[in-house]
Amino acid sequence: MNIEAIKAIYRFEMARTFRTMVQSILAPVLTTSLYFIVFGAAIGSRMTGIGEVSYGAFIVPGLIMLSVLTESIGNASFGIHMPKWSGTIFELLSAPVSTTEIVLGYVGAATTKSVMIGLVILATSTLFVPLQVLHPGWMLLMLLVTAFAFSLFGFMLGIWATSWEKLTIVPSLVITPLAFLGGSFYSLDVLPPLWRTVTLFNPVVYLVSTFRWCFHGKADVNLIGSIAFIAAFVALCLAITTWMIRSGWRLRS
Amino acid sequence: MRPVALDIQSLSKTYKAGHHALRNISLQIPRGEIFALLGPNGAGKTTLIGIACGLVNATSGSIHIEGHNVASEFRTARKLVGLVPQELTTEAFETVQAAVAHSRGLFGLQPNPSKLEQVLRSLALWDKRDTRVSQLSGGMKRRVLIAKALVHEPRVLFLDEPSAGVDVELRRDIWNVVRGLRDQGVTILLTTHYIEEAEQIADRVGVINKGELVLVEETHSLIRRMGQRQLVLNLVSPLQQLPAALAPWAPALSADGLSLRCNFAQDISGTETALLLQTLSSAAIAVRDLQTQQSSLEEIFVQLVRSKS
Ligand SMILES: Nc1ncnc2c1ncn2[C@@H]1O[C@H](COP(=O)(O)OP(=O)(O)OP(=O)(O)O)[C@@H](O)[C@H]1O
Ligand SMILES: [Mg+2]
């Protein structure tokens, strides 16, 4: 294992994050505050709470997941697409590094950033609503695993994309709709039976629901199933990424 | 016989678009040699280096670096390799020092401040170590790329047109560094369009054209073998007709009849010039002055590429 290479890649990527620290942190904080003002205060005051939980508190886990998803994908895909585009990737390709090291370095750094953002949003939300976290250990684990899974997905996307346009098309056409329809802002119970069934095909539902359980102790869907789903998703992404790096698909000519 | 540092066997590359960039290339470079690969644009030089460094997948054939296959034993092989690419591609926002230290880490070596300082100093980058790479001039960026390739102490170094767009001073620095490395037993393969350079620095040259290696030879013997020497004689009065006695030298007379060009094979003995002058004086041709010309690698190269295509 080339530990020094993992450290080098990780440090390099984190340096990029810290260079843009203000935008990186400020943007999600601002977005979250807007969501709270619009959904929590304006709409939420007309909504009855869901179960014993107030609407404001109900949407917190979903909001965090939403940001973690988009930030993970955006950051990890940028991290690998940028050197591919500028040509500096030659150094990575000529270095004695394997898939494990590349993934740990790049995806590890993107995961770190997403977890940081998730925690900042959590902290911001406490300014708007009183919050309880019933299972803080599980909450952190879920945050970490989700950030990793979608950073890995973003990393794949960054290798797959042959242009900047393609890089943004998947997040905006696939991920954003899935995230918004993933039960961040409502309980699945409010949906008519048909839509509820359709929704169960949306993977984000499982993430949000499980994450919400960590906060409020209630989930829309089966917990074990959710964990199995996330594990399967990570395994699939890992397999594809390994194949991409080994074969050099869209990396080596 | 020195051990082979770079062993290329029957290497071919066909790009996806169907272009044959390399055709069945075999080449062995012994440890500690400076080898210059010459060839016109698009000949396949960068492709060859790309395969050796893991940037391009070979279609068939193999490359071994110090005995390690670059595809199946990539970890061991790549650790030994340094690459200075043709294009100036550098990370923009890093400082010189951070960028160079990053390269060392990627190759699995622990930070070594004194090695870093030594490499930066050898390339006159020490004063710029805290400057962002994006703020450097093109020549300085080239220095950074060389520093990045050297900081992990490679055993085989690939320099893809290191002197393109580089001033005299940097060129001198590069060649000093290259010679220093060679003295430490580092094997160097470089490509260049400046043929005098290959002439000065390379132990051997290879000529590649349209993906085929048309020639590999010791630099000096190539010049000796292929090179022609010419003696140009400036005459006192115009010559109307060439004396038959000059025929062995295949003379050519200028239009004004004032300049006579005679050809020698490269391996002439000193007496041949004397013989020519003697022949001239017995033909009552007075010579004002004379000069000799030797064909350079460049001319040989142009000849070779023309004759093969
Ligand atoms: N990624 C690629 N895809 C398809 N064709 C390529 C690719 N890279 C190079 N080629 C083609 O392969 C041939 C050899 O290119 P290469 O870059 O190896 O030449 P070169 O000898 O380095 O030329 P130069 O002196 O201009 O740098 C060229 O015809 C080029 O168009
Ligand atoms: Mg080239």
Side-chain angles (χ1 to χ4, degrees):
Chain A
M1 183 87 113
N2 186 345
I3 304 282
E4 290 301 324
I6 302 175
K7 284 201 266 182
I9 298 171
Y10 185 84
R11 233 184 269 128
F12 188 87
E13 285 296 293
M14 289 313 286
R16 185 166 64 77
T17 300
F18 289 122
R19 268 199 305 271
T20 54
M21 196 64 186
V22 179
Q23 298 106 288
S24 306
I25 297 299
L26 213 59
V29 169
L30 185 71
T31 318
T32 316
S33 305
L34 288 175
Y35 276 126
F36 273 114
I37 293 165
V38 175
F39 287 103
I43 299 175
S45 59
R46 308 275 186 89
M47 303 268 283
T48 51
I50 293 166
E52 302 97 78
V53 184
S54 77
Y55 185 70
F58 177 82
I59 64 172
V60 170
L63 280 181
I64 295 175
M65 275 291 150
L66 215 59
S67 292
V68 166
L69 242 66
T70 42
E71 287 290 330
S72 297
I73 292 174
N75 200 38
S77 63
F78 183 89
I80 190 71
H81 189 73
M82 181 70 194
K84 230 182 87 170
W85 174 79
S86 71
T88 53
I89 199 164
F90 84 87
E91 194 171 32
L92 183 71
L93 295 178
S94 68
V97 290
S98 67
T99 313
T100 318
E101 290 129 15
I102 295 179
V103 166
L104 284 178
Y106 278 100
V107 180
T111 306
T112 309
K113 182 180 177 184
S114 296
V115 169
M116 274 162 39
I117 289 172
L119 293 177
V120 167
I121 294 173
L122 183 63
T124 312
S125 66
T126 58
L127 302 176
F128 294 89
V129 286
L131 204 62
Q132 56 161 357
V133 183
L134 281 183
H135 309 286
W138 284 108
M139 191 274 289
L140 283 176
L141 187 71
M142 266 300 289
L143 191 62
L144 196 70
V145 170
T146 312
F148 180 79
F150 284 85
S151 295
L152 191 58
F153 181 78
F155 185 77
M156 273 167 44
L157 201 66
I159 295 180
W160 165 81
T162 45
S163 66
W164 290 102
E165 288 74 32
K166 283 192 184 159
L167 196 65
T168 50
I169 217 161
V170 172
S172 56
L173 286 188
V174 182
I175 303 300
T176 308
L178 285 183
F180 270 86
L181 301 177
S184 297
F185 300 111
Y186 52 85
S187 165
L188 297 192
D189 295 338
V190 303
L191 295 175
L194 174 69
W195 281 110
R196 197 185 137 87
T197 314
V198 171
T199 300
L200 290 180
F201 288 98
N202 179 355
V204 178
V205 163
Y206 298 89
L207 292 172
V208 171
S209 176
T210 310
F211 201 48
R212 188 171 289 137
W213 172 83
C214 301
F215 282 78
H216 308 312
K218 284 211 184 63
D220 287 334
V221 294
N222 184 296
L223 274 180
I224 307 292
S226 301
I227 290 163
F229 164 77
I230 298 169
F233 182 70
V234 171
L236 181 69
C237 289
L238 273 179
I240 298 175
T241 309
T242 306
W243 172 78
M244 282 173 155
I245 295 175
R246 286 254 174 90
S247 68
W249 186 74
R250 293 198 173 167
L251 290 171
R252 302 175 207 279
S253 41
Chain B
M1 185 63 192
R2 285 175 292 170
V4 174
L6 179 66
D7 186 6
I8 303 176
Q9 295 287 353
S10 316
L11 191 70
S12 294
K13 172 66 187 178
T14 308
Y15 281 108
K16 264 200 220 94
H19 183 84
H20 294 282
L22 294 176
R23 296 164 194 265
N24 199 29
I25 295 213
S26 293
L27 173 67
Q28 281 74 41
I29 300 180
R31 189 179 293 163
E33 180 171 276
I34 300 181
F35 187 92
L37 194 58
L38 303 171
N41 289 137
K45 304 181 293 293
T46 301
T47 302
L48 182 98
I49 291 180
I51 296 174
C53 298
L55 309 183
V56 177
N57 290 327
T59 307
S60 63
S62 66
I63 298 187
H64 286 79
I65 306 265
E66 297 277 357
H68 303 284
N69 187 305
V70 296
S72 59
E73 300 168 80
F74 75 91
R75 233 188 234 283
T76 342
R78 286 188 205 162
K79 257 186 194 294
L80 303 170
V81 170
L83 165 65
V84 181
Q86 182 174 3
E87 308 285 331
L88 279 178
T89 45
T90 46
E91 290 84 6
F93 299 108
E94 297 291 298
T95 63
V96 169
Q97 190 164 224
V100 176
H102 173 67
S103 304
R104 188 177 164 90
L106 268 186
F107 280 78
L109 299 182
Q110 293 188 343
N112 180 343
S114 66
K115 175 71 193 173
L116 185 67
E117 177 171 348
Q118 181 233 316
V119 168
L120 291 180
R121 281 193 192 280
S122 72
L123 288 156
L125 283 169
W126 184 245
D127 296 336
K128 300 270 184 195
R129 63 188 181 279
D130 293 320
T131 310
R132 278 187 181 194
V133 177
S134 59
Q135 292 166 358
L136 296 176
S137 72
M140 280 290 174
K141 284 185 184 140
R142 172 100 33 210
R143 286 176 192 260
V144 173
L145 281 173
I146 298 172
K148 282 163 80 73
L150 294 184
V151 76
H152 66 272
E153 302 162 47
R155 300 304 301 158
V156 178
L157 180 66
F158 293 92
L159 294 159
D160 200 353
E161 294 189 29
S163 48
V166 147
D167 68 8
V168 182
E169 194 183 346
L170 175 49
R171 203 169 299 171
R172 194 196 54 218
D173 285 359
I174 294 176
W175 300 138
N176 283 339
V177 167
V178 164
R179 288 200 185 93
L181 289 168
R182 190 253 322 263
D183 295 342
Q184 295 163 30
V186 175
T187 310
I188 293 141
L189 185 144
L190 58 96
T191 71
T192 175
H193 286 280
Y194 297 96
I195 291 163
E196 327 80 75
E197 225 162 58
E199 225 170 311
Q200 283 165 22
I201 198 164
D203 301 312
R204 285 195 303 160
V205 292
V207 176
I208 185 171
N209 187 36
K210 296 188 177 158
E212 280 178 83
L213 199 57
V214 288
L215 172 136
V216 175
E217 197 162 333
E218 238 180 80
T219 316
H220 296 299
S221 85
L222 178 67
I223 293 170
R224 223 179 302 125
R225 187 168 66 83
M226 302 279 298
Q228 291 269 312
R229 223 173 68 149
Q230 295 186 323
L231 193 63
V232 179
L233 303 144
N234 293 316
L235 309 178
V236 176
S237 51
L239 193 64
Q240 305 302 335
Q241 208 178 351
L242 286 168
L246 289 178
W249 293 284
L253 193 61
S254 64
D256 59 5
L258 273 172
S259 154
L260 189 62
R261 185 178 289 263
C262 297
N263 292 295
F264 290 93
Q266 189 61 40
D267 55 358
I268 57 161
S269 53
T271 56
E272 208 172 343
T273 316
L275 187 66
L276 174 65
L277 292 175
Q278 219 170 18
T279 314
L280 286 169
S281 77
S282 51
I285 299 171
V287 175
R288 178 140 32 92
D289 66 34
L290 54 87
Q291 73 204 55
T292 56
Q293 288 177 350
Q294 193 165 359
S295 58
S296 68
L297 204 45
E298 176 131 26
E299 288 158 309
I300 297 172
F301 169 68
V302 170
Q303 276 172 30
L304 269 172
V305 167
R306 278 227 194 91
S307 67
K308 299 271 174 176
S309 58

